[in-house]
């Protein structure tokens, strides 16, 4: 039985994450699977073995991503746009692990006690902006 589409996708993600060239990947297949040069030539069991080899070399599968759209909409006033821009910049810098609107709402709740950015007043938003700027400064992120 050939590998599943999910197994083949994981294999190609692992190759990219490990930074392997096509030649390196083919060498690994040839050494471990009798001269095969493509994951399509493997069995499902061989695909699992190959993923185990990649894990032994330091590859860690990432979390599964949800295909659901984030239904939370954010207000479009200037302070809210500033908060969103800072949040996105911190996410791009790797400081914020989850850059979703839901995660931003959880952060807003922790900082202001208000459940949603839309319900925050100017003072709440100012406090959130300053907290995000201080966070960026602590982490060495240039936010301009």
């Amino acid at each position: 039985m050939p590998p599943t589409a999910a197994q083949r996708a994981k294999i190609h993600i692992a190759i990219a994450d490990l930074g392997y060239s096509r030649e390196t990947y083919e060498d690994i297949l040839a050494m471990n699977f009798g001269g095969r040069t493509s994951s399509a030539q493997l069995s499902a069991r061989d695909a699992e073995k190959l993923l185990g080899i990649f894990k032994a070399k330091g590859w860690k599968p990432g979390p599964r991503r949800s295909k659901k759209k984030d239904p939370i909409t954010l207000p479009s006033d200037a302070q809210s746009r500033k908060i969103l821009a800072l949040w996105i910049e911190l996410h791009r810098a790797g400081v914020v692990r989850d850059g979703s609107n839901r995660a931003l709402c959880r952060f807003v709740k922790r900082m202001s006690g208000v459940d949603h950015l839309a319900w925050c007043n100017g003072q709440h938003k100012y406090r959130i902006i300053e907290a995000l700027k201080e966070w960026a400064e602590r982490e060495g992120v240039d936010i301009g």
Side-chain angles (χ1 to χ4, degrees):
M1 175 170 17
T4 65
Q7 287 174 318
R8 290 183 61 199
K10 284 181 185 179
I11 288 168
H12 291 284
I13 290 169
I15 292 165
D17 287 351
L18 291 168
Y20 288 163
S21 67
R22 178 73 188 172
E23 293 79 25
T24 303
Y25 167 60
E26 288 175 355
D27 289 344
I28 291 171
L29 287 176
M31 287 187 300
N32 293 288
F33 301 102
R36 295 184 180 130
T37 59
S38 170
S39 61
Q41 298 169 335
L42 300 175
S43 67
R45 180 174 286 166
D46 289 341
E48 284 302 317
K49 181 179 174 188
L50 179 60
L51 289 169
I53 291 168
F54 290 149
K55 288 176 185 174
K57 295 196 179 281
W59 177 66
K60 294 181 183 174
R64 297 190 81 172
R65 294 191 178 125
S66 173
K67 293 183 181 179
K68 294 179 185 175
K69 297 248 182 202
D70 201 350
I72 296 175
T73 57
L74 298 174
S76 61
D77 62 283
Q79 284 182 308
S80 297
R81 286 194 316 266
K82 177 75 172 179
I83 290 168
L84 184 58
L86 290 168
W87 185 256
I88 290 169
E89 194 60 37
L90 287 169
H91 177 63
R92 285 183 181 154
V95 175
V96 172
R97 283 179 276 150
D98 182 359
S100 70
N101 290 348
R102 286 190 189 282
L104 174 58
C105 286
R106 288 191 301 268
F107 179 77
V108 166
K109 171 76 173 179
R110 281 193 311 275
M111 295 305 300
S112 67
V114 179
D115 287 332
H116 195 283
L117 189 57
W119 303 327
C120 289
N121 62 29
Q123 190 175 26
H124 292 137
K125 291 177 184 178
Y126 176 79
R127 189 176 316 134
I128 294 165
I129 289 169
E130 292 304 311
L132 289 168
K133 286 170 133 176
E134 289 172 9
W135 192 5
E137 188 177 328
R138 274 194 313 272
E139 296 294 331
V141 176
D142 181 28
I143 54 174

